[in-house]
Amino acid sequence: VQLQASGGGLVQSGGSLRLSCAASGNIYRIDFMRWYRQVLGKERELVASITRKGVRNYADSVKGRFTISRDNDKNTVDLQMNSLKPEDTAVYFCNADCTVVDGPQWGEYELWGQGTLVTVSS
């Protein structure tokens, strides 16, 4: 069971990027899905979250610029980032609360993607 993130890159200030994250494996259900970001030497910051029913929350620093969305059938979560600023430069991580089934056994896990670098030049 894993999360695989993609979509990072280099963009100029004011530009846009879309991050995607796909969960794979014996997943029965995913509740919260989130995007975090981390700058070297600083704590990981929650950027956006979305419940299974689609209730969204955003950090104040990205409200009105970023949009989180998910596809429950495909077990994916995306982050559309518009009007990017140099201070958005960070490694972005997807995160999900998953119920995993393996035969008769099941468990609840918090999974992390590998991180994808977003660099916004001024």
Side-chain angles (χ1 to χ4, degrees):
V1 180
Q2 64 177 355
L3 296 180
Q4 183 72 35
S6 61
L10 173 64
V11 64
Q12 288 187 336
S13 181
S16 298
L17 279 177
R18 187 175 184 89
L19 305 182
S20 296
C21 180
S24 60
N26 297 332
I27 296 173
Y28 172 74
R29 175 189 173 96
I30 301 178
D31 292 309
F32 273 94
M33 301 188 85
R34 309 172 187 89
W35 285 97
Y36 286 80
R37 66 186 181 188
Q38 188 169 23
V39 176
L40 188 64
K42 295 188 176 181
E43 291 188 359
R44 195 167 291 187
E45 172 192 20
L46 177 61
V47 175
S49 66
I50 184 168
T51 69
R52 185 171 179 81
K53 293 187 177 181
V55 177
R56 299 170 170 85
N57 277 289
Y58 299 94
D60 288 343
S61 58
V62 307
K63 281 181 181 176
R65 300 188 297 120
F66 290 12
T67 302
I68 188 170
S69 60
R70 65 186 286 173
D71 185 324
N72 290 333
D73 292 331
K74 296 180 179 179
N75 288 335
T76 59
V77 60
D78 291 346
L79 186 68
Q80 177 65 42
M81 304 184 294
N82 299 328
S83 302
L84 282 161
K85 304 175 181 180
E87 51 263 45
D88 294 318
T89 295
V91 177
Y92 284 71
F93 299 87
C94 55
N95 168 278
D97 296 337
C98 300
T99 301
V100 177
V101 176
D102 185 7
Q105 297 182 331
W106 64 278
E108 296 180 341
Y109 301 91
E110 182 182 24
L111 300 181
W112 288 90
Q114 84 281 13
T116 183
L117 177 62
V118 172
T119 303
V120 184
S121 62
S122 57

